[in-house]
Amino acid sequence: MGKKYAVGIDYGTESGRAVLVDLSDGTEVADHVTPYPHNVIDEKLPDSGLKLDHDWALQHPADYIEVLKRSVPAIIQTSRVNPADVIGIGIDFTACTMLPVNAEGKPLCFDPELRAKPHSWVKLWKHHAAQDEANRINELAQQRGESFLPRYGGKISSEWMVAKIWQILNEDPDIYEKTDQFLEAADWVVSQMTGNRLRNSCTAGYKAIWHKQDGYPSEAFFKALDPRLEKLTSTKLRGEVVPLGTKAGELTEDMARLTGLKAGTAVAVGNVDAHAAVPGVGVVTPGKLVMAMGTSICHLLLGNEERQVEGMCGVVEDGIIPGYLGYEAGQSAVGDIFAWYVDEAVPAYVHEAALKEGIHVHEWLEKRASAYKPGETGLLALDWWNGNRSVLVDTDLTGLLVGCTLLTKPEEIYRTLLEATAFGTRKIVDAFHDNGVEVNELYACGGLPQKNRLLMQIYADVTNREIKIADSKQTPALGAAMFGAVAAGAAQGGYDTIVEAAEKMARVREETYKPIPEHVAVYEKLYEEYNKLHNYFGRGENDVMKRLKSIKEAAR
């Protein structure tokens, strides 16, 4: 049997990227990125121009098909690989990114009569406008002592499926009625590729409160939440939930024409982007925390038993690697904070100096920020520019910077923002480790670890753990391709398990980041101060951030 390949497609926040991977050793033969033509829809709807409320974030489902249409043929063309040798395809997706579809599986926003209704569109993971619904879900679950709540660190997020569905029901009951099923975008794209509508256990488990043994929360819970939701799980959330690595079906004739692949190619069920990255860096056993670092960070970890950990985003059996409990936590803004600073707050002279040196502003700031020792800036920040995902699970929290003087420089603030996100990760590491889910070493993948050496050294120093870096620039897509190879199976030239695929295909760089003892000592002191601020502003002692938000909303 000659060389065999799989395609992995990583659907991100602003673009989709496809990679073609050699199944013998994980070499990425070709990759291609398609920016979403409509990007993130967070101000007004396409066509109608209807203004969206604060905290909304939508997308256009046609953009996801565009990725298949542009990026897949591009990688086949560049690589000159025979499509007959591509045996599997897998995708991963930001989550929870969900959409309402009709009985034919067509997104409601494709209907000309419904296009002007915001709730007919895809709600992106960072749509935060269902916070009121999330608060009520949490209150009721707590009152009733629902067993699912501790599995999600005590709080269900406004970013997840049920809060978003309830927001649709509350604000546009007509759209709710017209919806045949609410689907994760990952499952919708797979259904478009194969003609089969299945739900993957990863998004169902982490984002839709589904449990391998217990299923969804009870009808009694949903009825108590809202009588109209009583039958939600048997109607609009119905559908078989299948484990990762399952073959969802085969590429249809239409999709084969669109992508340039062969009809009948095995398609894996969808996955979450960060979760797909875990086997992509070769992690298939407990004790190793994988950080998928980009605009936000997802922290993934395997365990042997179910533990309760404050603020975790979920613990799901077989949720990442079959045979283990998969734990998830996260920070809802990391790269986004650095980008905000560069785009909105850095003085013009910095932009001019970077231009003169022929480097990016980020690079200019990193170079200068590296000259400072830990603690030398006298600054400290809370990394809540987009709320707090773990451990507080509160999207109403905001950012904070302490210690500025008339001498504070842009590069000092930049360094402090890097440190703040590292402290946020340390908070998560401690929450797991102190509750019996061991974290002995860290793995990092995504755009940030490849680009920002200072950031990775700070993370090693703040967490006092060695960090290994993915060799791939597209780790989630590599992981998705591995699951594509598992969907095809060994008989077709793929693999029968994800563990076998990871052994052959995963790669990390030889160079690692090790903690520097004298830095660790200073960061311990700063982390103590971070903790005090974290608890003061985040645990209800001073709700100034929330009061400011409500004053702001009242003034609009």
Side-chain angles (χ1 to χ4, degrees):
M1 203 185 279
K3 270 190 189 274
K4 297 293 174 199
Y5 303 86
V7 172
I9 303 171
D10 172 38
Y11 283 95
T13 301
E14 294 172 352
S15 62
R17 51 201 69 80
V19 298
L20 184 68
V21 182
D22 182 332
L23 297 188
S24 64
D25 60 2
T27 302
E28 287 155 47
V29 182
D31 63 75
H32 183 270
V33 177
T34 297
Y36 299 143
H38 300 87
N39 202 331
V40 177
I41 302 165
D42 54 8
E43 288 177 12
K44 56 184 191 210
L45 285 184
D47 301 343
S48 69
L50 184 84
K51 196 170 178 303
L52 295 172
D53 286 340
H54 188 57
D55 279 343
W56 276 63
L58 307 178
Q59 283 195 316
H60 199 316
D63 292 356
Y64 307 144
I65 304 303
E66 198 64 28
V67 176
L68 298 174
K69 189 176 164 184
R70 289 194 211 173
S71 286
V72 180
I75 57 176
I76 296 298
Q77 208 177 342
T78 310
S79 65
R80 301 198 171 156
V81 160
N82 182 345
D85 293 326
V86 179
I87 60 161
I89 182 165
I91 72 166
D92 69 75
F93 230 100
T94 63
C96 166
T97 293
M98 56 81 83
L99 69 161
V101 301
N102 66 15
E104 286 74 54
K106 193 170 149 189
L108 296 193
C109 63
F110 285 0
D111 183 334
E113 288 176 24
L114 303 176
R115 283 177 70 80
K117 293 181 166 235
H119 285 294
S120 70
W121 292 79
V122 170
K123 285 185 172 57
L124 184 57
W125 67 270
K126 65 177 179 177
H127 174 90
H128 285 157
Q131 187 61 50
D132 290 348
E133 284 77 7
N135 293 344
R136 182 75 191 106
I137 290 166
N138 292 326
E139 278 162 32
L140 185 70
Q142 212 157 7
Q143 280 165 22
R144 291 169 56 95
E146 291 285 344
S147 61
F148 66 78
L149 203 59
R151 286 199 285 266
Y152 299 95
K155 278 187 181 174
I156 301 302
S157 167
S158 68
E159 294 179 358
W160 298 351
M161 182 67 88
V162 176
K164 283 173 170 165
I165 289 173
W166 198 16
Q167 189 202 359
I168 293 172
L169 176 57
N170 284 334
E171 296 178 11
D172 197 336
D174 180 50
I175 288 291
Y176 183 86
E177 280 310 310
K178 286 188 162 76
T179 299
D180 180 60
Q181 279 177 297
F182 292 103
L183 295 179
E184 274 287 346
D187 295 333
W188 179 75
V189 171
V190 168
S191 76
Q192 297 306 291
M193 291 200 277
T194 61
N196 299 332
R197 253 186 267 177
L198 295 169
R199 295 183 187 273
N200 74 81
S201 63
C202 185
T203 37
Y206 288 101
K207 311 297 177 184
I209 327 181
W210 174 85
H211 188 262
K212 192 177 176 182
Q213 265 81 45
D214 306 344
Y216 291 105
S218 66
E219 286 190 354
F221 171 75
F222 280 109
K223 187 179 180 181
L225 201 55
D226 186 324
R228 300 171 297 172
L229 288 173
E230 183 180 2
K231 301 287 182 193
L232 171 67
T233 61
S234 57
T235 56
K236 298 177 194 294
L237 276 181
R238 73 184 191 282
E240 194 188 350
V241 179
V242 297
L244 297 177
T246 302
K247 180 178 167 181
E250 296 176 348
L251 211 57
T252 62
E253 294 283 354
D254 284 353
M255 273 292 162
R257 275 193 293 278
L258 186 84
T259 58
L261 297 175
K262 277 188 68 106
T265 303
V267 180
V269 293
N271 201 344
V272 178
D273 48 3
H275 301 60
V278 175
V281 292
V283 170
V284 290
T285 53
K288 301 163 182 180
L289 182 92
V290 178
M291 302 182 291
M293 303 179 74
T295 54
S296 61
I297 296 185
C298 252
H299 305 76
L300 290 311
L301 188 61
L302 302 174
N304 290 312
E305 51 189 307
E306 202 172 284
R307 300 277 189 160
Q308 293 185 16
V309 179
E310 185 196 11
M312 65 182 176
C313 305
V315 51
V316 176
E317 190 178 344
D318 304 335
I320 302 173
I321 300 291
Y324 292 105
L325 287 137
Y327 288 88
E328 179 193 351
Q331 289 164 271
S332 41
V334 178
D336 266 356
I337 300 176
F338 316 147
W340 163 82
Y341 183 59
V342 165
D343 296 343
E344 305 291 345
V346 165
Y349 81 81
V350 171
H351 288 274
E352 285 157 19
L355 197 65
K356 215 173 265 178
E357 287 181 38
I359 58 176
H360 195 278
V361 176
H362 282 281
E363 241 178 297
W364 190 94
L365 288 165
E366 186 200 342
K367 209 158 86 177
R368 277 151 187 81
S370 300
Y372 290 83
K373 294 200 285 280
E376 198 183 338
T377 64
L379 302 174
L380 186 60
L382 288 176
D383 51 317
W384 301 343
W385 263 248
N386 195 23
N388 178 291
R389 189 182 294 161
S390 299
V391 296
L392 299 169
V393 198
D394 192 339
T395 57
D396 284 333
L397 296 172
T398 51
L400 180 76
L401 180 63
V402 177
C404 290
T405 72
L406 295 175
L407 297 174
T408 299
K409 299 268 191 295
E411 54 267 37
E412 293 179 279
I413 295 175
Y414 183 75
R415 182 182 178 108
T416 304
L417 295 175
L418 302 187
E419 290 169 345
T421 67
F423 292 137
T425 283
R426 165 77 185 270
K427 197 86 191 134
I428 289 163
V429 169
D430 287 357
F432 279 124
H433 205 76
D434 297 347
N435 284 289
V437 189
E438 279 192 20
V439 181
N440 301 319
E441 53 184 5
L442 305 183
Y443 286 71
C445 63
L448 286 176
Q450 309 267 359
K451 287 184 261 194
N452 199 320
R453 296 181 64 85
L454 173 63
L455 181 74
M456 298 323 298
Q457 187 58 53
I458 289 171
Y459 271 61
D461 294 337
V462 166
T463 60
N464 196 17
R465 284 166 174 83
E466 184 177 8
I467 303 179
K468 296 178 178 174
I469 308 292
D471 197 33
S472 168
K473 284 193 172 74
Q474 314 284 6
T475 312
L478 171 62
M482 287 182 187
F483 279 109
V486 173
Q492 300 299 314
Y495 296 96
D496 285 335
T497 70
I498 192 67
V499 175
E500 290 165 12
E503 274 169 14
K504 290 281 191 343
M505 296 170 68
R507 295 191 316 279
V508 290
R509 292 181 175 181
E510 274 180 40
E511 183 199 17
T512 67
Y513 290 88
K514 293 185 175 71
I516 298 163
E518 53 269 34
H519 290 185
V520 173
V522 179
Y523 280 129
E524 274 306 316
K525 287 182 197 158
L526 286 172
Y527 181 58
E528 265 179 52
E529 299 303 331
Y530 173 91
N531 256 327
K532 285 175 193 161
L533 290 176
H534 176 282
N535 294 339
Y536 180 65
F537 288 105
R539 297 199 190 274
E541 203 171 329
N542 187 342
D543 277 335
V544 59
M545 293 169 178
K546 296 180 183 194
R547 289 195 298 275
L548 288 172
K549 248 191 169 180
S550 61
I551 292 167
K552 170 183 168 180
E553 272 156 29
R556 284 185 162 206

